[in-house]
Amino acid sequence: MKRYHQLYTDIANTLTVHRYEYLGISILFFIGILTGTIFATTSDNYFKIRDSFDLFWSAYPLQSASHFEILQSSLLHYLQLAVLLWLSGWSVWLLPLGVIQIIAKSFRTGYVVACLLRAYSLRGMVIALLSLLPQNLILIPALCFYGVYQISFFKERRYIAGNPGQHTLKRQIYRRNAKVTLLFLLLLFLCAWLESYVVPVLLHAICGIV
């Protein structure tokens, strides 16, 4: 119990100390959503997008992929994302990886939601909420937190490199990073589970409305 309390304290301290970094990441995230929305609403391929959605929904009830197969695919995607974010904390040249992943995720989210709204109006909003909201309620805050945390981890590693001999502090920094990374992976697993076992059930229930 004491370990969990310490992890909670570390996370709370990180949120407080790096609040401006979190604000910056949040702004970038919303810029990505806005950019994706603009691209979707100004696209000249509207009819192709609409036809693709119609084909997807007409075939969706017939899809034969099991929940476990969807889980495997989702886990692979999220693990790739986690590796890129984790790498961003180990080199100044890799730092942009985290920011790029967050912007790319926000762009895709904005693009898909805008396309659904453009294709199906209010029905598209319902589809977007049911298909994207469950996992993104967890994924988006987790991405922003872990992305900023890796920037903090990089700064701490630079401090240790410039002040050799602080072995205790070094162990604390690496141990804390391992705990936060494990927590992030657990949250990603939860997102994958929602995508695999909750979202398909919701989509099957509403696929007849489009």
Side-chain angles (χ1 to χ4, degrees):
M1 194 68 181
K2 185 177 180 180
R3 292 181 179 178
Y4 289 111
H5 177 73
Q6 183 60 46
L7 179 59
Y8 172 81
T9 302
D10 291 339
I11 292 174
N13 289 338
T14 300
L15 290 172
T16 302
V17 173
H18 302 285
R19 56 187 179 276
Y20 295 113
E21 287 91 337
Y22 285 110
L23 178 61
I25 288 293
S26 300
I27 292 173
L28 288 175
F29 190 87
F30 283 111
I31 289 175
I33 289 179
L34 180 61
T35 305
T37 301
I38 293 172
F39 266 80
T41 53
T42 58
S43 174
D44 295 329
N45 297 322
Y46 168 70
F47 292 106
K48 290 182 179 179
I49 295 172
R50 175 63 190 256
D51 290 343
S52 297
F53 276 132
D54 288 341
L55 179 62
F56 173 80
W57 288 112
S58 63
Y60 190 81
L62 304 176
Q63 67 91 15
S64 58
S66 67
H67 292 297
F68 183 71
E69 288 174 329
I70 300 174
L71 179 63
Q72 287 179 311
S73 177
S74 296
L75 282 176
L76 179 60
H77 168 71
Y78 284 132
L79 282 176
Q80 291 172 343
L81 178 62
V83 169
L84 290 174
L85 284 171
W86 179 78
L87 288 173
S88 68
W90 292 86
S91 170
V92 65
W93 304 108
L94 297 176
L95 273 177
L97 280 176
V99 176
I100 291 172
Q101 291 304 307
I102 292 171
I103 293 176
K105 173 61 181 176
S106 62
F107 178 88
R108 288 193 298 268
T109 301
Y111 186 85
V112 171
V113 172
C115 284
L116 285 170
L117 288 173
R118 188 178 179 187
Y120 302 115
S121 301
L122 290 178
R123 292 179 297 174
M125 182 181 296
V126 174
I127 295 169
L129 286 174
L130 295 180
S131 61
L132 298 175
L133 185 63
Q135 67 271 32
N136 279 308
L137 280 176
I138 299 171
L139 178 62
I140 292 172
L143 278 178
C144 292
F145 172 78
Y146 192 67
V148 173
Y149 187 86
Q150 286 305 102
I151 295 174
S152 171
F153 175 65
F154 172 75
K155 292 178 179 178
E156 290 174 333
R157 288 184 63 249
R158 287 191 65 181
Y159 173 80
I160 292 297
N163 296 271
Q166 302 193 43
H167 302 295
T168 301
L169 179 60
K170 183 177 181 179
R171 284 195 297 271
Q172 291 175 349
I173 290 172
Y174 279 88
R175 189 181 300 119
R176 182 168 62 247
N177 185 63
K179 291 178 181 178
V180 173
T181 299
L182 178 60
L183 176 61
F184 180 62
L185 289 174
L186 290 174
L187 291 175
L188 292 183
F189 179 82
L190 179 57
C191 291
W193 182 85
L194 289 171
E195 282 188 3
S196 308
Y197 291 91
V198 176
V199 171
V201 174
L202 296 175
L203 292 181
H204 271 291
I206 59 124
C207 64
I209 70 173
V210 295

